[in-house]
Amino acid sequence: MTTTSSAVLVEPRLIDLWDFSIPEIGPDAALLKVEATGICGSDWGPYNGTWMTELPPLVLGHEVVGRVVEIGADAMHRWGVAEGDRVVVEESIPCGTCRLCRTGRYHMCDPLHTRDGLRYGLTPASLGPHIWGGFGEHLYVHPRSIVHRMADSVPVEQAPLFIPISNGIRWVERDAGTRIGDTVVIFGPGQHGLGCVLGARLAGAGTVIVVGTRRDKARFEVAKALGADHVIDVADGPAAQQVAELTNGELADVVIEVTSGSATVLADAVDSAAVGATVVVAGSRGMAPAIGFSPDTLFLKELTLKGVYGHDFLSVRRAIELIESGREPLEKLCTHTFPLHRADEALRTLGGETDAPDAIHITVLPDR
Amino acid sequence: MTTTSSAVLVEPRLIDLWDFSIPEIGPDAALLKVEATGICGSDWGPYNGTWMTELPPLVLGHEVVGRVVEIGADAMHRWGVAEGDRVVVEESIPCGTCRLCRTGRYHMCDPLHTRDGLRYGLTPASLGPHIWGGFGEHLYVHPRSIVHRMADSVPVEQAPLFIPISNGIRWVERDAGTRIGDTVVIFGPGQHGLGCVLGARLAGAGTVIVVGTRRDKARFEVAKALGADHVIDVADGPAAQQVAELTNGELADVVIEVTSGSATVLADAVDSAAVGATVVVAGSRGMAPAIGFSPDTLFLKELTLKGVYGHDFLSVRRAIELIESGREPLEKLCTHTFPLHRADEALRTLGGETDAPDAIHITVLPDR
Amino acid sequence: MTTTSSAVLVEPRLIDLWDFSIPEIGPDAALLKVEATGICGSDWGPYNGTWMTELPPLVLGHEVVGRVVEIGADAMHRWGVAEGDRVVVEESIPCGTCRLCRTGRYHMCDPLHTRDGLRYGLTPASLGPHIWGGFGEHLYVHPRSIVHRMADSVPVEQAPLFIPISNGIRWVERDAGTRIGDTVVIFGPGQHGLGCVLGARLAGAGTVIVVGTRRDKARFEVAKALGADHVIDVADGPAAQQVAELTNGELADVVIEVTSGSATVLADAVDSAAVGATVVVAGSRGMAPAIGFSPDTLFLKELTLKGVYGHDFLSVRRAIELIESGREPLEKLCTHTFPLHRADEALRTLGGETDAPDAIHITVLPDR
Amino acid sequence: MTTTSSAVLVEPRLIDLWDFSIPEIGPDAALLKVEATGICGSDWGPYNGTWMTELPPLVLGHEVVGRVVEIGADAMHRWGVAEGDRVVVEESIPCGTCRLCRTGRYHMCDPLHTRDGLRYGLTPASLGPHIWGGFGEHLYVHPRSIVHRMADSVPVEQAPLFIPISNGIRWVERDAGTRIGDTVVIFGPGQHGLGCVLGARLAGAGTVIVVGTRRDKARFEVAKALGADHVIDVADGPAAQQVAELTNGELADVVIEVTSGSATVLADAVDSAAVGATVVVAGSRGMAPAIGFSPDTLFLKELTLKGVYGHDFLSVRRAIELIESGREPLEKLCTHTFPLHRADEALRTLGGETDAPDAIHITVLPDR
């Protein structure tokens, strides 16, 4: 075998299967046979042409699990893995030497610092060795990659959940500082919001409340299965008011805002927060302002608004251990799988353009 | 002497001298002969009728220093002070038993919790014993008050600075987490912004940058005397751009926003912040939204926005020790003093309605 | 009824039932009809005459739950409770105004600060109104007390568990900083060690290991029921070695030392800790040095040794909520109850002097 | 030039000048012309044969400043330096991929993880390219090294102070959490203790107290020049007692123990600490136990004992910026310099074996 097939985003909303030469693997790199790649909300912008439009053609996909099929001697030593091992790869390819990398914040290492701008799922296919994304049979593992082992016992479609679960752990526990007995309110029951439900329950939250809309009925059920105590539909009135009722007016110690595209949700999130609470901002408004929100609220209630962007090393480790433990009903999150040649359909399912209203975690399995 | 005179805000913008009976002092309370009361930015709203308009008639003033002229036995024991001692009194009269009070956050104790709604400078004069504000000859010291000793050696007009200085210490060091060598940018060179300059320098900031406008020339000079390294005039372009130039593009580790009435400053403050920075929100927009600010910026740079409201016990202690040490050129902050019968003029000077463009800290001295 | 009966420690190891007059209750105090008082390891020293020997005669007991039978108007307002309510009372009677009290650390308020030296279970019965301990029909609730409501639904012998459980939450989560997935090793499976097992599991510990001896077989079973993953018997070799085996050499992120009277356990605890770990010191050696421990180990592994002493407000709140939830098998902790006239036997059971090797939580129920 | 001269520790207490071939420099490494290397207390053990005796022959020295004389293309890019630049090199050569390295704690990366066991100043000279220590004309800069630029304007003998100053910043501010106004007591006025004086003053300590002995008269003067408020001689009685007198019985918020070889100092340090204080343990007892210290003290005062080992990335950066600023009287620390052929005398001066009782920072300058 000298070539490998990848689903290339040729231009916005156009995906085609291309063949690439399998690259030579140097002493400090590796080649992965991809087993599964999860689809993340952040794949939608490039696919749809509303974000990073200058990048295509490129291979999307950065929630990757696979087998090491070739690895250099230095890389074996550095990563502690060998041919045949199953691994997951973080999406960052950080420089390793800047202040952010040296102080445990490598996930914020600016691709500009690295001068090569590499990042899995967002690197143009024109740049050799081309196979920089998970939606393909193989992935090139760059020497600067961050590689973790994943046990063979994990069902293939659950393995990519290390991303939403590590985010949930980091955002809810480390960033928000959730403590035993806290009331945690999570706006948005998508895969990341559900990762936050897990994070909240693991952090010992006393009450976990998930906020969604009419179309989230199936997601609400999964939230409950993962440990949510209450679900709130904003069609029934402002979440803040419902949270007040559920908490005898005490409101939330921690609020996680992880919705997409809503300009009004932040105001509702802030209103749901108790004096001294932390509101984590992980959701996006497409750079629009937050309607109905005045920063004066922040000092009147001494609130902390904390922007978060992805996971760190330890939260990924902990997420992998959790997945490997088999303790959680993670199969409920894995609603859809697609073979490689249907990657386009997989992405449109994420975007709600197919008839799959209850989709949560969608995975592309190149082998099927 | 059986009566005492106070400057009563009868209705917005109307102040009159009223006489009140000097109250009986029970075993757990005290009576203070006021030496000086500083004017705080938060006095302006009630004075001007734009905030808390239902309160008058009331005696404003909550940056109080005075002598204990009468004190009950229990209060002597509890506060460790005696007749003749000079003390300052925090503005909070917290319940002492709620969760906020029990966990070191008594300054956020909701006056509603106390059911009596007491707070120095914001309690209606109709409620006995009436003399709840610093703009008067005497102050009633309620049993729930928080009282600190202040050395006799401190010049009388400097004593009320314990408020802006304790705020500066808490906001810059404890809340923002400023560390040795950090770059700190402070938007707003009023008395609180200058307190933050002190806080930043004491916390070991490597570079302190103060942002203001054309009318802040004199305040800029004071900022430099207190240790600011650079001053920036926003008339010369966005502060963020000037901060970038001063820091070789590294931007600020900590940003303090303590301006008043500007809807656009928060966006400039956020743009001045480096990846992972903390932006303290102490300034007010009159509940208006922040123009030009999208919360998406928070996660793109993993910023923390921290609303802060006043001081805590230890920061007040530290501010008092600092004032008593005489090490800082605090006289530069004390630009204006007024006798009690000119309290109205003092307030209008704060509001910029008199010919005193360079006013920083204004004090009412009832004895003069 | 004008008198009430209490079990008075007349001299070390001599307990007698005495009658006291029921006191007048002022506007800011209350009287409690005691329902149950748990026995704490710290009761043993005064009982046995090895600690605080100058105090008797006194009424021991400070894990108190009871009904409010009389309460003053001010106290009702301050504590938010009324006659007939069930409450627990913290053992501290702090001054409320010192730096420790004002910054959330009232449990360390030195009784010397209060000049009256009050503390439930450690105040001489010679001081009116005499009934300062839980081993009696009634307890006087001093105005400075910290009172929490407890739901009627909680089985009476479980209610005093708010002490070991709040300690477990504070020590494991707040003090040690346990994070999701951490390995937590707990030396000592007594009631406090088991409270720490709960704290560890609630904090999301990945692996909880309990260390004990041959005589802890029954306690080990309870530890497992509460969520411990492994139990270690030091008769089988140093715990550190067994921890290393159980963790693939990674050792513990958090170690809790809550044994009693062992001079060698700290060295084993420190050896069980990974680089950068925290070792909580809650156990006692009777002021003896720690055999086999060199502080040099602390810098060689960058360890933190954290001494802890009791609970704080929020951990008590959380413990009460947990007990009220009925989610945990707390009945397994409650091994023995005694009526008031057998308080002496209850204390000797704690001390291992009766035939009850498996005793964990022992409660005195004055009504039976 | 094809060879370079280094001072080799051939066996304990025997140093000889050896010539080594100048190595080929690969694309990811560099060669440094050493300008100066400071002597650290940790050099004494290997020199004297009481620690790491299996290592010689080796080149000691790890506080290195020098000029880049050759550098590979990859290294230029990664470190952002070029030929001719002046740099300092941290002593760690960490693996870069383990959990400690990925979470900002690379200075604790076990050389065993790297399998090659490299560390500047502690790597056998038998391992090519041999020149692993600062006491030589040249230093090989390994690809995994951590390199920082240092301005040309800094006097050569002050440049190696980045080690004691970064330690002082990290230990006093980051590890101990010193806050504005705190009382900080530092046991041991050597170069690291004096670095802690700087750290304490920069962190805004209200009172800095340095503890030493009769032989520290000159060091006490330097401590005062750097900002210490008081010095204490333990010949005048226990430090704890003197600290109590200086602080009106309030004792210290932070204690730093950075002495060498004293088994009794920790007990005095702990006695000097106030309730809730942090005691940093950086000093060494040669693995002996701490005489007179019972861990029970830790819970009775809720003390934290924090072992610290060196600096981290940001503290080194801040130390360099401070040195470059020229604001501090650092020349007072630089008491002795020696040329390379007198490296042995330099080390014996550190050990107090020459007639230089007032030595603080000793530097070897290979060029002289």
Side-chain angles (χ1 to χ4, degrees):
Chain A
M1 188 185 62
T2 57
T3 63
T4 179
S5 185
S6 292
V8 176
L9 181 70
V10 181
E11 60 182 63
R13 306 189 66 87
L14 176 61
I15 283 186
D16 200 9
L17 284 186
W18 287 13
D19 279 347
F20 296 98
S21 298
I22 288 190
E24 301 271 317
I25 296 302
D28 51 5
L31 184 72
L32 217 66
K33 178 83 182 65
V34 177
E35 288 188 62
T37 297
I39 298 192
C40 175
S42 67
D43 290 320
W44 182 250
Y47 171 76
N48 192 41
T50 50
W51 192 55
M52 295 278 192
T53 50
E54 77 286 5
L55 293 178
L58 87 165
V59 185
L60 286 168
H62 59 269
E63 299 185 353
V64 188
V65 60
R67 293 268 169 199
V68 177
V69 289
E70 192 178 344
I71 184 164
D74 291 355
M76 282 182 65
H77 170 45
R78 195 168 63 250
W79 293 325
V81 300
E83 271 185 37
D85 283 345
R86 195 191 221 190
V87 298
V88 299
V89 183
E90 295 192 37
E91 67 267 46
S92 296
I93 307 179
C95 76
T97 55
C98 72
R99 170 175 162 177
L100 292 165
C101 285
R102 289 290 189 203
T103 56
R105 211 164 193 154
Y106 61 79
H107 69 286
M108 295 301 289
C109 175
D110 192 337
L112 296 178
H113 286 186
T114 61
R115 299 193 198 174
D116 48 24
L118 299 178
R119 191 175 183 89
Y120 290 111
L122 285 180
T123 298
S126 53
L127 186 76
H130 318 297
I131 48 174
W132 297 105
F135 299 152
E137 291 173 334
H138 290 87
L139 183 84
Y140 172 70
V141 187
H142 185 277
R144 294 200 315 260
S145 297
I146 297 165
V147 172
H148 304 262
R149 298 188 65 160
M150 168 76 78
D152 294 348
S153 58
V154 174
V156 67
E157 68 276 13
Q158 292 183 21
L161 290 172
F162 75 96
I163 296 272
I165 294 177
S166 62
N167 285 344
I169 290 174
R170 181 168 181 257
W171 299 350
V172 177
E173 191 206 38
R174 286 90 204 269
D175 290 320
T178 298
R179 293 169 66 177
I180 292 173
D182 278 357
T183 294
V184 178
V185 176
I186 298 160
F187 284 76
Q191 60 174 310
H192 281 97
L194 294 169
C196 291
V197 171
L198 261 182
R201 225 207 47 233
L202 289 168
T207 307
V208 180
I209 302 171
V210 173
V211 182
T213 65
R214 282 284 178 265
R215 66 170 190 267
D216 290 321
K217 203 161 283 188
R219 293 183 192 94
F220 281 162
E221 288 311 305
V222 179
K224 285 181 190 167
L226 293 173
D229 298 285
H230 305 282
V231 295
I232 283 178
D233 186 330
V234 290
D236 300 331
Q241 194 176 303
Q242 298 183 60
V243 169
E245 280 160 25
L246 289 168
T247 59
N248 293 319
E250 298 211 344
L251 297 174
D253 301 293
V254 167
V255 180
I256 312 287
E257 191 277 278
V258 56
T259 62
S260 179
S262 164
T264 57
V265 72
L266 186 67
D268 203 5
V270 162
D271 287 347
S272 303
V275 167
T278 296
V279 179
V280 167
V281 180
S284 159
R285 274 142 296 268
M287 296 308 290
I291 293 174
F293 163 68
S294 167
D296 289 23
T297 330
L298 299 185
F299 65 78
L300 289 175
K301 294 204 284 184
E302 285 210 333
L303 299 181
T304 296
L305 230 64
K306 211 169 176 98
V308 298
Y309 189 89
H311 32 270
D312 56 14
F313 190 79
L314 198 55
S315 59
V316 172
R317 275 273 188 98
R318 295 321 196 193
I320 291 171
E321 290 164 9
L322 188 85
I323 294 170
E324 291 179 344
S325 78
R327 288 181 194 161
E328 304 292 338
L330 301 181
E331 69 282 358
K332 292 183 192 297
L333 287 163
C334 301
T335 53
H336 294 75
T337 62
F338 292 88
L340 187 57
H341 68 272
R342 289 169 62 197
D344 185 77
E345 188 182 347
L347 282 155
R348 286 186 291 112
T349 300
L350 169 80
E353 299 187 349
T354 65
D355 185 24
D358 299 339
I360 297 174
H361 192 66
I362 303 158
T363 311
V364 171
L365 305 172
D367 260 358
R368 306 211 178 154
Chain B
M1 188 185 61
T2 56
T3 62
T4 179
S5 186
S6 292
V8 175
L9 181 70
V10 180
E11 60 183 65
R13 306 189 64 88
L14 176 61
I15 284 186
D16 199 9
L17 285 184
W18 288 13
D19 279 348
F20 296 98
S21 298
I22 289 189
E24 301 271 316
I25 297 301
D28 50 5
L31 183 72
L32 217 65
K33 177 82 184 67
V34 177
E35 287 189 61
T37 297
I39 298 192
C40 175
S42 67
D43 290 321
W44 182 251
Y47 172 76
N48 193 42
T50 50
W51 192 55
M52 296 279 193
T53 50
E54 77 286 5
L55 292 177
L58 88 166
V59 186
L60 286 168
H62 60 268
E63 299 185 352
V64 188
V65 61
R67 295 268 167 197
V68 176
V69 289
E70 192 179 345
I71 184 164
D74 291 354
M76 283 182 65
H77 170 45
R78 194 168 63 249
W79 294 325
V81 300
E83 273 184 37
D85 284 345
R86 195 192 221 192
V87 298
V88 299
V89 183
E90 295 192 36
E91 67 266 47
S92 297
I93 307 179
C95 76
T97 55
C98 72
R99 171 175 161 177
L100 293 164
C101 285
R102 288 292 189 200
T103 56
R105 211 164 193 154
Y106 61 78
H107 69 286
M108 295 300 290
C109 175
D110 191 335
L112 296 178
H113 285 185
T114 61
R115 300 194 196 171
D116 49 25
L118 299 178
R119 192 176 182 90
Y120 290 110
L122 285 180
T123 298
S126 54
L127 185 77
H130 318 299
I131 48 174
W132 298 105
F135 299 152
E137 291 173 334
H138 289 87
L139 184 84
Y140 172 69
V141 187
H142 186 277
R144 294 199 317 258
S145 297
I146 297 165
V147 172
H148 304 261
R149 297 189 66 159
M150 168 77 77
D152 293 347
S153 58
V154 174
V156 67
E157 68 276 13
Q158 291 183 22
L161 289 172
F162 76 96
I163 297 271
I165 294 178
S166 62
N167 286 343
I169 290 175
R170 180 168 181 256
W171 300 349
V172 177
E173 191 206 39
R174 285 93 204 265
D175 289 322
T178 298
R179 293 169 65 176
I180 292 173
D182 278 358
T183 294
V184 178
V185 176
I186 297 160
F187 284 75
Q191 60 173 312
H192 281 96
L194 294 168
C196 291
V197 171
L198 261 182
R201 227 210 42 238
L202 290 168
T207 307
V208 180
I209 302 172
V210 173
V211 182
T213 65
R214 283 285 179 263
R215 65 169 192 267
D216 290 319
K217 203 162 284 189
R219 293 183 193 94
F220 281 161
E221 288 311 306
V222 179
K224 285 180 190 168
L226 294 173
D229 298 284
H230 305 282
V231 294
I232 283 179
D233 187 331
V234 291
D236 299 331
Q241 196 176 304
Q242 298 183 62
V243 169
E245 280 161 25
L246 289 168
T247 59
N248 293 318
E250 298 210 345
L251 297 174
D253 301 293
V254 168
V255 180
I256 312 287
E257 192 276 277
V258 56
T259 62
S260 178
S262 165
T264 57
V265 73
L266 186 66
D268 204 5
V270 162
D271 287 346
S272 303
V275 167
T278 297
V279 178
V280 167
V281 180
S284 158
R285 274 142 295 270
M287 295 308 292
I291 293 174
F293 163 68
S294 168
D296 290 22
T297 330
L298 300 185
F299 65 78
L300 290 174
K301 295 204 283 185
E302 285 209 333
L303 299 180
T304 297
L305 229 65
K306 211 171 175 94
V308 297
Y309 189 89
H311 31 269
D312 56 16
F313 190 78
L314 199 54
S315 59
V316 171
R317 276 273 188 100
R318 296 320 196 193
I320 290 171
E321 290 164 10
L322 188 86
I323 294 169
E324 291 179 345
S325 79
R327 289 181 193 163
E328 305 292 338
L330 300 181
E331 68 282 359
K332 292 184 193 297
L333 286 164
C334 301
T335 55
H336 294 74
T337 61
F338 292 88
L340 188 57
H341 67 273
R342 289 171 60 197
D344 185 76
E345 188 183 347
L347 282 155
R348 286 186 290 111
T349 299
L350 169 81
E353 299 187 349
T354 64
D355 185 24
D358 300 339
I360 297 175
H361 191 67
I362 303 158
T363 311
V364 171
L365 305 172
D367 260 358
R368 304 206 182 158
Chain C
M1 189 187 59
T2 56
T3 63
T4 179
S5 186
S6 292
V8 176
L9 181 70
V10 180
E11 59 182 65
R13 304 189 67 86
L14 176 60
I15 284 187
D16 199 11
L17 284 186
W18 288 13
D19 279 347
F20 296 99
S21 297
I22 289 189
E24 301 270 315
I25 297 302
D28 49 6
L31 183 71
L32 218 65
K33 178 82 183 65
V34 177
E35 289 189 61
T37 297
I39 297 192
C40 175
S42 67
D43 290 322
W44 182 250
Y47 171 77
N48 193 40
T50 49
W51 192 55
M52 295 278 192
T53 50
E54 77 285 4
L55 293 178
L58 87 165
V59 186
L60 287 167
H62 59 267
E63 300 186 353
V64 189
V65 60
R67 294 268 167 198
V68 177
V69 289
E70 192 178 344
I71 185 163
D74 291 355
M76 282 182 65
H77 169 44
R78 194 168 64 251
W79 293 325
V81 300
E83 272 185 37
D85 284 345
R86 196 191 220 191
V87 298
V88 299
V89 183
E90 295 192 37
E91 67 267 46
S92 297
I93 308 180
C95 76
T97 55
C98 72
R99 170 174 161 178
L100 293 165
C101 285
R102 289 292 189 202
T103 57
R105 213 164 192 154
Y106 61 78
H107 69 288
M108 295 300 290
C109 175
D110 191 337
L112 296 178
H113 285 185
T114 61
R115 299 192 198 173
D116 48 25
L118 300 178
R119 191 175 182 90
Y120 290 111
L122 285 179
T123 298
S126 54
L127 185 77
H130 318 297
I131 47 173
W132 298 106
F135 299 152
E137 292 174 333
H138 290 89
L139 184 84
Y140 172 69
V141 188
H142 186 277
R144 295 200 315 261
S145 297
I146 297 164
V147 173
H148 303 261
R149 299 188 65 161
M150 166 78 76
D152 293 347
S153 57
V154 174
V156 68
E157 68 276 11
Q158 291 184 20
L161 290 172
F162 76 95
I163 296 271
I165 294 177
S166 62
N167 286 343
I169 290 174
R170 180 167 181 256
W171 299 349
V172 177
E173 191 206 38
R174 285 93 205 266
D175 290 320
T178 298
R179 294 168 66 175
I180 292 173
D182 278 359
T183 294
V184 178
V185 176
I186 297 160
F187 284 75
Q191 60 174 311
H192 281 96
L194 294 169
C196 291
V197 171
L198 261 183
R201 225 207 46 234
L202 290 168
T207 306
V208 180
I209 301 172
V210 173
V211 182
T213 66
R214 282 285 178 265
R215 66 169 192 268
D216 290 321
K217 203 162 283 189
R219 293 183 193 94
F220 281 162
E221 288 311 305
V222 179
K224 285 180 190 168
L226 294 173
D229 298 284
H230 305 282
V231 294
I232 282 179
D233 187 331
V234 289
D236 300 331
Q241 195 176 303
Q242 298 183 63
V243 169
E245 280 160 25
L246 288 168
T247 59
N248 294 318
E250 297 210 346
L251 297 175
D253 302 293
V254 166
V255 180
I256 312 287
E257 193 276 277
V258 57
T259 62
S260 178
S262 165
T264 56
V265 71
L266 186 67
D268 203 5
V270 163
D271 287 346
S272 304
V275 167
T278 296
V279 179
V280 167
V281 180
S284 158
R285 273 143 296 268
M287 294 310 290
I291 293 174
F293 163 68
S294 169
D296 290 23
T297 330
L298 300 184
F299 65 77
L300 290 174
K301 295 204 283 186
E302 286 209 332
L303 298 181
T304 297
L305 229 64
K306 211 170 176 99
V308 298
Y309 189 89
H311 31 269
D312 56 15
F313 190 79
L314 199 54
S315 59
V316 172
R317 275 274 187 98
R318 296 321 196 193
I320 291 170
E321 291 164 9
L322 188 84
I323 294 170
E324 292 179 343
S325 79
R327 287 181 194 162
E328 304 293 338
L330 300 181
E331 68 283 358
K332 291 183 194 298
L333 286 163
C334 300
T335 54
H336 294 75
T337 62
F338 292 88
L340 187 56
H341 68 272
R342 290 171 60 199
D344 185 77
E345 189 182 347
L347 282 154
R348 285 186 291 112
T349 299
L350 169 80
E353 300 186 349
T354 65
D355 185 24
D358 299 339
I360 297 175
H361 191 67
I362 304 158
T363 310
V364 171
L365 306 172
D367 261 359
R368 304 203 181 160
Chain D
M1 189 187 57
T2 57
T3 63
T4 179
S5 185
S6 293
V8 176
L9 180 70
V10 180
E11 58 183 67
R13 304 189 66 87
L14 177 60
I15 284 186
D16 199 9
L17 284 186
W18 288 13
D19 279 347
F20 295 98
S21 297
I22 289 190
E24 301 269 317
I25 296 302
D28 50 5
L31 184 71
L32 216 65
K33 177 83 183 64
V34 176
E35 288 189 62
T37 298
I39 298 192
C40 176
S42 67
D43 290 321
W44 181 250
Y47 172 76
N48 192 40
T50 49
W51 192 55
M52 296 278 192
T53 50
E54 77 287 3
L55 292 178
L58 86 164
V59 186
L60 286 168
H62 59 267
E63 299 186 352
V64 189
V65 61
R67 293 268 168 200
V68 177
V69 290
E70 192 178 344
I71 184 163
D74 291 355
M76 283 181 65
H77 170 45
R78 194 169 63 250
W79 293 325
V81 300
E83 272 184 36
D85 284 344
R86 194 192 221 189
V87 298
V88 299
V89 183
E90 295 191 37
E91 68 267 46
S92 297
I93 308 180
C95 75
T97 56
C98 73
R99 171 175 160 177
L100 293 164
C101 285
R102 290 290 189 203
T103 57
R105 212 163 192 154
Y106 61 79
H107 69 287
M108 294 301 290
C109 175
D110 191 337
L112 296 178
H113 285 185
T114 62
R115 297 190 200 176
D116 50 24
L118 299 178
R119 191 176 183 88
Y120 290 111
L122 284 180
T123 299
S126 53
L127 186 76
H130 318 296
I131 47 174
W132 298 105
F135 299 151
E137 292 173 334
H138 290 88
L139 183 84
Y140 172 69
V141 188
H142 185 277
R144 295 200 315 260
S145 298
I146 297 164
V147 172
H148 304 261
R149 299 188 64 159
M150 168 76 78
D152 294 346
S153 58
V154 174
V156 67
E157 68 277 12
Q158 291 183 21
L161 290 172
F162 75 96
I163 297 271
I165 295 177
S166 62
N167 286 343
I169 290 175
R170 180 167 181 257
W171 300 350
V172 177
E173 192 206 37
R174 285 92 204 267
D175 290 321
T178 299
R179 293 168 65 176
I180 292 173
D182 278 357
T183 294
V184 178
V185 177
I186 298 160
F187 283 75
Q191 59 174 311
H192 281 96
L194 294 169
C196 291
V197 171
L198 262 183
R201 225 206 48 234
L202 289 168
T207 307
V208 180
I209 301 172
V210 173
V211 182
T213 66
R214 283 282 179 267
R215 64 169 192 267
D216 290 320
K217 203 162 283 188
R219 294 183 192 93
F220 280 162
E221 289 311 305
V222 180
K224 286 179 190 168
L226 294 174
D229 298 284
H230 306 282
V231 295
I232 283 179
D233 187 331
V234 289
D236 299 332
Q241 196 176 300
Q242 298 182 62
V243 169
E245 280 160 24
L246 289 168
T247 59
N248 292 318
E250 297 211 345
L251 298 174
D253 301 294
V254 167
V255 180
I256 312 286
E257 193 276 278
V258 58
T259 62
S260 178
S262 165
T264 56
V265 72
L266 186 66
D268 203 5
V270 162
D271 286 347
S272 303
V275 167
T278 297
V279 178
V280 167
V281 179
S284 158
R285 272 142 296 270
M287 295 308 291
I291 293 174
F293 162 69
S294 168
D296 290 23
T297 330
L298 300 184
F299 65 77
L300 289 174
K301 294 203 285 185
E302 285 209 333
L303 298 181
T304 297
L305 230 63
K306 211 171 175 100
V308 298
Y309 188 89
H311 31 268
D312 57 14
F313 190 79
L314 198 55
S315 60
V316 171
R317 276 273 187 98
R318 295 320 195 194
I320 291 171
E321 291 164 9
L322 188 85
I323 295 170
E324 291 179 344
S325 79
R327 287 180 194 163
E328 304 292 337
L330 301 181
E331 67 285 357
K332 292 183 193 296
L333 286 163
C334 301
T335 54
H336 294 76
T337 62
F338 292 89
L340 187 57
H341 67 273
R342 289 171 61 197
D344 185 76
E345 189 182 347
L347 281 154
R348 285 186 292 111
T349 300
L350 169 80
E353 299 186 349
T354 65
D355 186 24
D358 299 339
I360 297 175
H361 192 66
I362 303 159
T363 311
V364 172
L365 305 171
D367 262 358
R368 306 213 178 152

